[in-house]
Amino acid sequence: MLNIRTFVGLSLLSVLLACGGGGGGGDNGGGTTPPSTGFRVTLDRSSVSFDYEAGTLATPAVVVASSSGSLSGNLYIGAVAEGEAIDPYIEAVIEGTQARFTLRPKTSLAAGNYSGRVLLKACEDAACSRTIGGTPLPVSYSIRVRPGLSASPNPLEVSAVSGNTAAAVLKITHPDGPGGSFSDKPISDGAWLRTGTHGVGELPVSFRSMRSGVYQGSIEISTGSRMISVPVKYTVTPPPGGEFDLRASPQSLSLAANEGATSAIQALQIDLPTWGSDTLSFATAYEQPNGEWVQSNSGWLSVQRTATGASVSASAAKLSQGSYQAQILIRPSAPGTAVVVPVSFTVGAGLQKPADQQISIQAQSGSSALQGQTSIALLGTGTVSWTASSDASWLKLLNPNGQTGQALRYQVDASALESLPNFSDSEATVTVRPALAAISPVSFKVSLRKALPEVHFAGPYFLLQGQTNQVYLSGRGFNQLQDVASSLQLSGQTASKVSRISDTQLRVEISPTAGNSISASIRNTLGLRSDAATLQVGGAQSYAAAAIATPGNKRTILFDAQRQAVYAVNVENQTLERIRFNGSAWQRDAINIPSILDAGIGPDGTQLVVSSKQKVLRLIDANDFSTRLTLNHTAGFLEALSYVSQGIPAGHNGRSWLASGEGWGSTLSYFDHRSQRIVTHTNREAGLAEDFDGGPWLAMARNGERLLVVPNASNTAPKPMLYLDSSIDMLKRNAGNMSWAYEMQLSDDGSRALFDFETVRDSNFTLLGQLPALPTGYVRRASAMAPNGTRVYVVAYPSSDMLNPNAPATAAPRVFVYDSSAANPGSLALAEVGQFNLIDYPACRSNEASCIRPRATISPDGQTLFVVGNEKLLVAPIPSALRKDTGARKTATAATPTLRTYLWRKSAS
């Protein structure tokens, strides 16, 4: 029998066999036959079959090869696929004297029938110049691909100019053919996405005219038990000349009449939003003696719709002498904003009460917007002198004295405007007193709404100099901007692209040329200060290989490129460790955090967010490591997966995401860095539960946009994996039918994600490829994804050292590098680019539960891998040839097939 060792206590060791044509001859193919005693290889089957629907993954078939007899010399195994339908990468698991080959159809096979065979070979050399053991042994295959349910294009992306509708058609491939029936469900926030009557194999889709921005939704298409989800992206650009929301002129109305009479009619001019409005409704509300407002359609105010707006009048038939206040509420359809028009109605003799006035200061507001006026009128004959006063220092009266029939002019003090809070209302009361004591004074209110666009956070906050960076800017008031690009200020830098996603989100591309920081803000016509976000800029950094002692089990590793510091959550020693590079060496320090649980870098990089099992959240200053805030959280923080975490993720909208609770029934929450509060997240897709079972655990892209959420533990009934894009802020189901994963790493922009050392998917959760099995003799321990998503790094330990954890190490940990930009054509396997070694072990070498796996992360420039364990932090520079696309291993084409072989048994001689 072959003396092939079975590694007890380890996962089965696996290899990946790349298949192709060619290879050596049979046992009698020439050369010297090695001495053997009846060595043979046999298979447990000679044929396999597959039957599945197009667009789904077929259940793999396993062929078991067994060896018998003795053999001198080395033994290699390999496989050759004949035909065009089998995935050329075949996984083989070696277990003693058996090898289990896993066969899969190629990806994206069209509906139809396929056949061919796979030749399994045992060889005496790596080139397989001579086969042995009665090989090659043929395994015939038959593949039936049935028509499945699919839609094209998928995803669906449509563009339009605001003020215009859009349309598209989804082509539906049905399992029962073009005439098969199906149902659909459009999912969108704001009902901008609609579907029409089904055609034969077609689904018409229409898009409402919307305000400029980027909208995302989906369409669920189902038949029987089958369901697919088509992501939809709708990009709306501003019309020529800019856009505006619903407008009413004048902004307030003053009406008057004697008792029992009706006022003169006044016209209200209404301009619909530039994107249109399906409906326009009017409602009236009246001020009560107690100061409250009650909506009613049967009061003294009459509003009649006209071609240009509305006609407004008031009846004093049931009113006694005095002043009365009302409001006209004008509501357009979404996404338009309602307008409120104050109305004042004076009944009887005396001064006519002016309507309340409104001043709005926005980005395009000039000095004229600071001024206003209202007429002071006397009901009856004659002229009366008056004086006026304001109770607010910010409102100046330009003519505090006058006569009835004249206008009272007022102005906001520009010097006081700077100090007024933004996005808030200030109110002044103006009182007008007539010179005749017999006539009562009147008063009216002037409301000031200061709403200057402002930027709060940017993601990612750290940019690489000389490299194009896509950045999300979060704030508010962006819908005001007629020209977003010209309104954005980047302190000496210029954005190559600027797009508005919503009133609170911008997306820009910037290539910083120099400087340590960039201030991102929105300019306004008045030149007033508004909040700005700071972007840090740094160049690529090269570090030499290093190993720094850091004893204690770790849960999380973080890299701060701005400060050239690695942070590690040391759960065992209850410390937050910091290992900083001072220009020549790495220095380690730590602060004690009782019962520390997890940590993350805040959204602007100035603070670290640290949670503990004592239900305490801390903000730690990233510069001096001092505690800036301590916040008690009565719900506590989830303690599941004590040693598996990607850290506390931070969104570009100023939120650090948390799992609140202490077990089943936990919730998704976040720490809001502006309000300094912990808030439960509630905005979710219809049908999603509000709590989680043993979850959630989280991972986020470095730019703070895509958040992955695993809702529950694997030992419960599986629930679909969820995701949230910060720019939309809605928790949704994934479109790839994924349930849970323990390990998740994302590219900086979230366009690629690695799950559990196994699969790589895109932002729509479409499977792009899977990592091949490691060569025999290595065990996966940690992984990381390149910032641009084109490389996956897997840290593996030699099994020989894993089997002897207490003996001196005989080999070095190895990093296997894979091209994750795309799988090989027709295959799910990702190509291996190459390998490099770490200079030491970061952690213990055992599969025992007490030996916690190391954690890994990567620098934003993609040049350095950091791996931390219970013993050391490893700093590992990644060879440049392995980082570049040109370093990828090329896959052989069908015309020039190759055979890759792997050593099954090494000669003892």
Side-chain angles (χ1 to χ4, degrees):
M1 295 291 291
L2 283 173
N3 183 24
I4 302 177
R5 182 178 183 182
T6 301
F7 293 99
V8 180
L10 296 177
S11 300
L12 293 178
L13 305 178
S14 57
V15 297
L16 190 72
L17 307 181
C19 305
D27 282 343
N28 299 319
T32 303
T33 303
S36 62
T37 305
F39 173 73
R40 308 298 293 176
V41 175
T42 57
L43 305 179
D44 70 333
R45 66 188 65 190
S46 60
S47 65
V48 295
S49 61
F50 304 89
D51 189 334
Y52 64 101
E53 283 189 1
T56 65
L57 294 178
T59 301
V62 176
V63 178
V64 179
S66 301
S67 63
S68 60
S70 60
L71 175 70
S72 298
N74 295 335
L75 172 62
Y76 295 83
I77 53 173
V80 176
E82 297 181 342
E84 298 299 322
I86 285 291
D87 189 330
Y89 284 77
I90 299 175
E91 186 177 19
V93 176
I94 300 171
E95 189 176 17
T97 59
Q98 292 185 333
R100 300 168 60 88
F101 294 86
T102 301
L103 308 183
R104 296 180 176 87
K106 281 186 176 180
T107 59
S108 304
L109 286 180
N113 297 312
Y114 305 85
S115 62
R117 65 178 188 169
V118 174
L119 301 180
L120 304 182
K121 297 185 177 185
C123 313
E124 64 180 34
D125 59 359
C128 208
S129 59
R130 182 180 181 88
T131 58
I132 56 178
T135 67
L137 297 173
V139 177
S140 61
Y141 64 82
S142 62
I143 302 173
R144 180 193 177 202
V145 184
R146 291 175 275 110
L149 180 64
S150 63
S152 178
N154 187 0
L156 176 61
E157 298 187 359
V158 176
S159 300
V161 176
S162 183
N164 298 274
T165 60
V169 175
L170 282 175
K171 300 292 185 181
I172 307 299
T173 300
H174 197 281
D176 298 333
S181 63
F182 60 91
S183 60
D184 68 87
K185 179 184 177 182
I187 300 173
S188 67
D189 183 16
W192 50 267
L193 178 64
R194 299 170 181 171
T195 54
T197 303
H198 301 176
V200 177
E202 292 185 343
L203 175 62
V205 184
S206 60
F207 300 80
R208 285 181 53 192
S209 174
M210 296 290 286
R211 186 199 298 265
S212 64
V214 179
Y215 302 86
Q216 295 189 21
S218 61
I219 300 174
E220 292 182 352
I221 301 170
S222 57
T223 177
S225 61
R226 305 173 182 87
M227 191 276 283
I228 60 173
S229 180
V230 179
V232 180
K233 181 180 180 181
Y234 183 33
T235 303
V236 182
T237 55
E243 61 185 0
F244 56 82
D245 209 331
L246 183 71
R247 302 187 298 197
S249 179
Q251 295 182 342
S252 62
L253 296 172
S254 295
L255 305 175
N258 291 321
E259 289 181 342
T262 301
S263 73
I265 295 175
Q266 291 197 29
L268 191 63
Q269 175 74 35
I270 297 176
D271 297 321
L272 295 177
T274 51
W275 53 87
S277 180
D278 296 336
T279 60
L280 191 67
S281 64
F282 294 83
T284 51
Y286 299 89
E287 187 179 30
Q288 305 300 301
N290 61 3
E292 294 182 355
W293 291 85
V294 175
Q295 187 169 318
S296 173
N297 293 324
S298 59
W300 47 262
L301 192 61
S302 173
V303 182
Q304 301 295 323
R305 186 79 164 91
T306 66
T308 58
S311 61
V312 182
S313 62
S315 172
K318 299 180 180 180
L319 300 178
S320 59
Q321 183 172 319
S323 297
Y324 301 88
Q325 307 298 314
Q327 294 176 340
I328 302 174
L329 291 80
I330 310 170
R331 294 189 181 95
S333 58
T337 306
V339 169
V340 177
V341 179
V343 179
S344 175
F345 184 31
T346 302
V347 179
L351 290 180
Q352 179 178 341
K353 178 178 173 60
D356 292 341
Q357 306 293 300
Q358 301 175 94
I359 298 175
S360 178
I361 305 300
Q362 298 185 338
Q364 273 77 41
S365 300
S367 57
S368 61
L370 302 178
Q371 302 174 1
Q373 65 178 33
T374 186
S375 178
I376 306 300
L378 178 67
L379 299 178
T381 59
T383 300
V384 176
S385 298
W386 52 261
T387 60
S389 61
S390 166
D391 68 349
S393 60
W394 55 264
L395 185 68
K396 303 299 183 183
L397 303 182
L398 301 180
N399 58 329
N401 303 286
Q403 293 183 326
T404 53
Q406 294 179 338
L408 170 60
R409 294 179 292 114
Y410 52 86
Q411 177 177 294
V412 176
D413 186 348
S415 62
L417 186 60
E418 185 83 65
S419 61
L420 293 178
N422 201 20
F423 278 89
S424 64
D425 295 306
S426 302
E427 188 175 87
T429 299
V430 177
T431 303
V432 181
R433 295 178 174 85
L436 295 177
I439 302 176
S440 299
V442 294
S443 62
F444 63 95
K445 295 178 180 179
V446 178
S447 298
L448 172 64
R449 175 69 173 174
K450 180 183 175 184
L452 299 173
E454 56 189 18
V455 182
H456 301 154
F457 296 97
Y461 74 88
F462 181 83
L463 308 182
L464 287 170
Q465 181 177 331
Q467 180 173 308
T468 300
N469 301 263
Q470 186 183 82
V471 180
Y472 286 85
L473 300 179
S474 297
R476 52 183 171 177
F478 300 150
N479 279 341
Q480 303 174 20
L481 307 177
Q482 299 296 326
D483 186 339
V484 181
S486 64
S487 301
L488 178 63
Q489 299 182 112
L490 292 172
S491 62
Q493 304 290 328
T494 301
S496 57
K497 292 182 181 179
V498 181
S499 59
R500 174 171 44 208
I501 299 174
S502 67
D503 186 57
T504 60
Q505 301 289 331
L506 300 179
R507 184 171 58 230
V508 306
E509 287 187 5
I510 180 173
S511 303
T513 55
N516 295 322
S517 65
I518 299 172
S519 176
S521 62
I522 304 297
R523 61 168 50 91
N524 57 77
T525 302
L526 291 172
L528 298 173
R529 186 196 64 82
S530 64
D531 288 352
T534 300
L535 296 159
Q536 302 296 332
V537 179
Q541 297 288 337
S542 298
Y543 301 107
I548 303 97
T550 58
N553 287 326
K554 313 298 191 304
R555 173 183 170 93
T556 301
I557 181 173
L558 308 167
F559 179 64
D560 182 346
Q562 177 187 353
R563 298 170 183 83
Q564 299 189 64
V566 175
Y567 307 108
V569 175
N570 194 325
V571 177
E572 182 178 352
N573 295 337
Q574 301 184 56
T575 58
L576 177 64
E577 298 193 4
R578 176 174 60 178
I579 304 97
R580 291 178 291 177
F581 188 68
N582 64 8
S584 59
W586 294 89
Q587 296 178 330
R588 173 177 170 263
D589 62 350
I591 55 174
N592 294 321
I593 306 289
S595 302
I596 189 171
L597 182 62
D598 212 347
I601 300 175
D604 61 3
T606 62
Q607 296 173 324
L608 303 174
V609 182
V610 184
S611 64
S612 76
K613 297 178 183 180
Q614 295 183 348
K615 303 182 180 182
V616 175
L617 189 76
R618 292 176 173 84
L619 295 185
I620 307 296
D621 189 292
N623 287 320
D624 60 19
F625 240 28
S626 63
T627 300
R628 296 300 185 187
L629 176 72
T630 299
L631 183 66
N632 292 318
H633 185 42
T634 55
F637 303 104
L638 189 69
E639 299 179 19
L641 302 180
S642 298
Y643 299 103
V644 179
S645 173
Q646 311 305 319
I648 297 176
H652 57 67
N653 52 3
R655 297 175 177 179
S656 288
W657 292 92
L658 304 162
S660 291
E662 298 179 279
W664 306 109
S666 51
T667 60
L668 177 65
S669 61
Y670 59 87
F671 175 77
D672 187 304
H673 284 261
R674 282 180 62 82
S675 67
Q676 305 262 290
R677 296 185 301 118
I678 295 177
V679 182
T680 299
H681 185 268
T682 58
N683 189 26
R684 60 193 64 214
E685 198 173 67
L688 292 183
E690 295 184 0
D691 55 13
F692 301 86
D693 298 330
W697 48 91
L698 316 166
M700 196 162 210
R702 192 174 73 89
N703 67 359
E705 172 66 356
R706 171 58 60 89
L707 175 72
L708 296 177
V709 180
V710 177
N712 64 336
S714 63
N715 60 351
T716 64
K719 295 180 180 178
M721 180 181 293
L722 309 176
Y723 73 97
L724 179 146
D725 291 332
S726 295
S727 58
I728 298 175
D729 189 34
M730 177 176 284
L731 198 62
K732 300 180 179 181
R733 300 173 181 85
N734 79 90
N737 296 319
M738 294 191 66
S739 54
W740 57 273
Y742 285 132
E743 295 275 1
M744 301 177 289
Q745 285 89 27
L746 293 91
S747 61
D748 278 3
D749 63 359
S751 63
R752 293 286 189 276
L754 170 66
F755 298 95
D756 283 338
F757 304 112
E758 294 178 353
T759 59
V760 174
R761 295 176 180 260
D762 66 13
S763 58
N764 293 320
F765 294 90
T766 301
L767 180 62
L768 298 179
Q770 64 185 25
L771 270 64
L774 291 178
T776 302
Y778 284 94
V779 180
R780 293 167 175 162
R781 301 299 285 169
S783 62
M785 174 166 274
N788 63 6
T790 63
R791 293 290 184 269
V792 167
Y793 302 94
V794 175
V795 178
Y797 286 5
S799 56
S800 56
D801 284 348
M802 293 281 286
L803 288 168
N804 299 284
N806 298 319
T810 60
R814 180 161 296 183
V815 179
F816 293 83
V817 186
Y818 302 96
D819 183 353
S820 53
S821 58
N824 290 303
S827 172
L828 285 176
L830 300 177
E832 181 187 315
V833 176
Q835 308 165 10
F836 66 97
N837 288 342
L838 300 181
I839 63 172
D840 202 347
Y841 280 93
C844 49
R845 299 177 277 114
S846 169
N847 254 353
E848 298 296 329
S850 59
C851 181
I852 307 304
R853 288 194 296 107
R855 314 297 300 156
T857 191
I858 195 168
S859 59
D861 56 22
Q863 294 187 177
T864 308
L865 190 68
F866 300 93
V867 187
V868 71
N870 69 327
E871 296 176 355
K872 296 180 177 69
L873 167 70
L874 272 295
V875 180
I878 302 171
S880 60
L882 301 184
R883 302 194 308 261
K884 299 177 181 178
D885 291 342
T886 54
R889 178 180 298 165
K890 303 302 181 182
T891 304
T893 63
T896 57
T898 60
L899 171 68
R900 292 174 63 192
T901 55
Y902 291 81
L903 182 63
W904 189 355
R905 176 193 183 276
K906 186 174 178 63
S907 172
S909 58

